[in-house]
Amino acid sequence: MTETKRIKIGIISDTHGLLRPEVVEILKNCDYIFHAGDVDRPELLDALRPLGALYVVRGNNDGYWAQNLRRSLNFTVGNVKFFIVHDKKDVAWELGDTQVVIFGHSHQYFSKEIDGRLWLNPGSCGRSRFGGGVTMAVMTVENGVWTVEKITF
């Protein structure tokens, strides 16, 4: 079945236990939430679940509580094929027809299309670390075509 409705996806990473109110306000208007790891505590996921369909991977700082979270996910939303992992170095060698690769870990926003595939790191929307700002992304998907907006706090 082909999805043709307009879909909004909030893309976050590296919250490290801090879910900022301004991030929550943006996520309230999203159909899906993708979290690229380093959640830090299960209560944060409990707060995200009611806001939208949640896809989350385990980060290097997610402890024992997160043992049931996968290290990577492959899935399709709005006719767009996604791959999510926390650390870019752990991206699968064979991505097949994946259109968007989402990763975190570096706390630095990155968005670049390489060989027809979008590579996106939403940065950190938790605590500012490594001299970077606090950022996230909102992706809009319609008819299999996406646009990405960087949001800086």
Side-chain angles (χ1 to χ4, degrees):
M1 176 180 241
T2 303
E3 292 182 54
T4 57
K5 73 173 203 156
R6 185 180 176 128
I7 299 167
K8 281 185 75 175
I9 304 167
I11 305 172
I12 61 177
S13 186
D14 297 283
T15 48
H16 292 280
L18 176 61
L19 189 55
R20 296 171 177 271
E22 56 268 39
V23 171
V24 171
E25 284 305 308
I26 292 167
L27 295 177
K28 282 180 182 177
N29 296 311
C30 294
D31 303 295
Y32 293 83
I33 300 166
F34 298 170
H35 194 307
D38 276 359
V39 177
D40 192 68
R41 55 182 62 122
E43 296 82 14
L44 194 139
L45 294 181
D46 293 340
L48 291 175
R49 282 187 186 98
L51 303 178
L54 179 63
Y55 289 84
V56 60
V57 294
R58 184 177 184 174
N60 62 299
N61 286 307
D62 292 323
Y64 181 78
W65 69 269
Q67 67 182 345
N68 292 326
L69 294 179
R70 297 205 24 213
R71 296 263 181 204
S72 65
L73 292 172
N74 287 294
F75 58 92
T76 301
V77 169
N79 299 319
V80 176
K81 295 185 178 190
F82 292 92
F83 179 85
I84 298 181
V85 67
H86 180 61
D87 192 336
K88 186 178 174 186
K89 73 176 179 57
D90 296 325
V91 170
W93 283 93
E94 179 50 51
L95 289 168
D97 56 356
T98 297
Q99 297 164 280
V100 179
V101 176
I102 297 172
F103 59 98
H105 188 59
S106 72
H107 294 241
Q108 300 295 317
Y109 187 91
F110 178 85
S111 179
K112 186 173 184 178
E113 197 160 316
I114 302 170
D115 297 328
R117 181 176 289 131
L118 177 64
W119 292 76
L120 176 65
N121 182 335
S124 172
C125 67
R127 292 171 178 81
S128 177
R129 295 175 63 179
F130 312 121
V134 176
T135 61
M136 66 176 286
V138 173
M139 177 180 279
T140 302
V141 176
E142 190 167 13
N143 298 323
V145 177
W146 67 84
T147 57
V148 177
E149 176 187 3
K150 175 184 180 182
I151 299 175
T152 304
F153 301 97

